[in-house]
Amino acid sequence: MKNKNSRFETEVIHSGYHSDEHQGSLVPPLYQTSTFTFASAEQGENRFAGKEEGFIYSRLGNPTVKILEDRMAVLEKGEAGLAFSSGMAAVSAVLVALTKTGDHILCSQGVYGCTFGLLGLLKEKYGIGHNFSLMDSKETLENEILPNTTCIYIETPINPTMKLVDLAMVARIANEKGIPVVVDNTFCSPYLQTPLSLGCDVVIHSATKYICGHGDVVAGLVVGKKEFMQEVSRTTQKDIGGIISPFDAWLLLRGLKTLPVRLDRHCENAGQLFEFLKAHPKIESVYYPGDPKHSDFSIMEKQMKKPGGLISFTIKGTKETAGRFMNQLQLIKIAVSLGDAETLIQHPATMTHAVVPEEERRKMGIENTLLRLSIGLEAWEDIMQDLEQALEKI
Ligand code: LCS
């Protein structure tokens, strides 16, 4: 039995699961069922009325999913977790729960393209406004929080520019004003960063990425205070219905076990490749939070355990040069997504952030020559050689 203060590497394997409640099964069982039978009509009534604990229907809860949610809550140092069918299902459930017509969301200057799209949809259809903020000082933040701001939404590191936001600073100001701070922690995973321990209120993940780690699941996770998570569970999750399938939850539990081992390797590989990219004459700029010259390096040191496994860089030349370079790669795959064993490269301006209008993209720092590399678990020397041979050909 793990003790109460087990370390992260132990919690990813054991927390939230008690084998004695499941016939001694070492691995959490997969409850691949849509519904649960009641012993009597009265039991059904009591479960619906909340007078008796127990499962009802898998959109409202499932034992395999519950193990994942409980484990994530421990890892993110929160009170409760909820799992969703995608990262975007998680983002939308949280934003809809925190806002109503006339409210305002203050968002970091740069977010994943579909989150940008969702903010536009909320504005257009439901009159929920938003602004983007650099959030780089107390003054900026205080000026940009409006009287009707009901949510501060942050990605850090920001996809794909790798800029950082000082979470403790934002949380201090937001807490004073009673505004919840929501952090998309996809790029870090709880192994590298735990926003709730810095005073933030809600953490979101595209679990499709490092949490899964094997490129075979699309899923989302949210962790926060028990009361808020119960509200999301009762309202936006239950009634909009973007729940995870039990099998995907089972795969995520499997993936989670190796999260720290994988991330150590992702980070080590990224550090090596940063040195290579930085020195290469055909590369213009490299954006990597582990770069001591990165404008937010001190924030990285303060709030992240390690700089992560993603590097963005601009190539000298034009959009076409970037395309020719990608087409020469042999080992590295051209694909969106990140956090997989395979090294992936993508062109944000035409792929993950294609829905963002060009002017907004420029404000976010997404140039047409910017490429994002999700560094995999291969030998870094092989990744480097692939980058080198492709760069030679352009
Ligand atoms: N948040 C971040 C920071 C993301 O990068 C993504 C997806 C999402 C939320 C949405 O998660 P999903 O619904 O896809 O599970 N990011 C992607 C990316 O950078 N490439 O492909 C998807």
Side-chain angles (χ1 to χ4, degrees), residues 130-202:
H130 65 266
N131 284 108
F132 294 103
S133 168
L134 284 172
M135 302 188 185
D136 56 353
S137 73
K138 192 170 176 284
E139 292 69 37
T140 322
L141 203 62
E142 280 177 340
N143 285 336
E144 291 174 359
I145 291 176
L146 303 180
N148 58 339
T149 303
T150 58
C151 167
I152 295 180
Y153 189 91
I154 300 170
E155 262 180 35
T156 180
I158 293 174
N159 184 0
T161 55
M162 308 308 292
K163 290 179 190 149
L164 308 186
V165 175
D166 182 338
L167 293 175
M169 184 273 287
V170 177
R172 245 189 332 269
I173 295 164
N175 289 351
E176 273 170 25
K177 297 180 190 288
I179 304 169
V181 180
V182 179
V183 181
D184 183 328
N185 204 22
T186 299
F187 271 35
C188 281
S189 92
Y191 182 53
L192 300 184
Q193 176 173 278
T194 49
L196 302 183
S197 64
L198 300 169
C200 301
D201 300 278
V202 181

Side-chain angles (χ1 to χ4, degrees), residues 84-91 111-115 153-160 184-187 204-209 217-221 310 335-338 344 346 351-353 372:
F84 291 83
S85 55
S86 69
M88 286 317 301
V91 175
V111 273
Y112 170 56
C114 293
T115 305
Y153 189 91
I154 300 170
E155 262 180 35
T156 180
I158 293 174
N159 184 0
D184 183 328
N185 204 22
T186 299
F187 271 35
I204 297 183
H205 283 278
S206 167
T208 317
K209 314 290 162 31
V217 171
V218 174
L221 287 159
L310 284 137
V336 294
S337 204
L338 57 103
L344 307 178
Q346 66 109 2
M351 296 178 190
T352 51
H353 291 67
R372 189 193 73 192

Side-chain angles (χ1 to χ4, degrees), residues 209-210 266 270 273 309-313 332-333 335-346 371-378 383:
K209 314 290 162 31
Y210 289 110
H266 284 298
L273 292 169
L310 284 137
I311 299 180
S312 292
F313 57 93
I332 299 169
K333 307 285 184 259
V336 294
S337 204
L338 57 103
D340 293 331
E342 297 82 359
T343 297
L344 307 178
I345 196 162
Q346 66 109 2
L371 294 166
R372 189 193 73 192
L373 196 60
S374 166
I375 291 133
L377 302 176
E378 304 96 337
I383 308 170

